[in-house]
Amino acid sequence: MTAYLIADVDVTNPAVFEEYKREVPATEARYGGKYLGRGGLTKILEGDWQPHRLVIIEFPDMASLMAWYESPEYAPLKAIRETCARTRIIALEGTAAVPS
């Protein structure tokens, strides 16, 4: 079942974050990840949430998502991100397709 990584990223050092942003897509792709949204315009429809830079990445399943997140390829990039951004990240399992 498809899984989604959803991140709200508050970039505190844009120059360093550029390195992270440039390098991370190749690591995600190795685990089947693809961007559905990455830093685009957001519009608050309800509530008091004030997101910063939102990112949504789709993976084939939760196991692939977690394998990427815990991978040796991503570890050094995660360390870079932690120096230049405050991030909230969740993993969300998708729903099975409903037959029509």
Side-chain angles (χ1 to χ4, degrees), residues 6-9 42-56 88 90:
I6 303 169
D8 180 5
V9 184
T42 58
K43 186 170 186 158
I44 308 306
L45 301 179
E46 293 186 25
D48 59 3
W49 186 21
Q50 296 299 316
H52 299 91
R53 175 185 171 80
L54 284 180
V55 178
I56 302 172
R88 293 176 189 89
I90 63 168

Side-chain angles (χ1 to χ4, degrees), residues 15-27 38 77:
V16 175
F17 189 76
E18 283 301 314
E19 177 184 354
Y20 172 82
K21 195 169 78 170
R22 184 176 53 251
E23 300 293 328
V24 77
T27 67
R38 186 180 188 200
L77 297 174

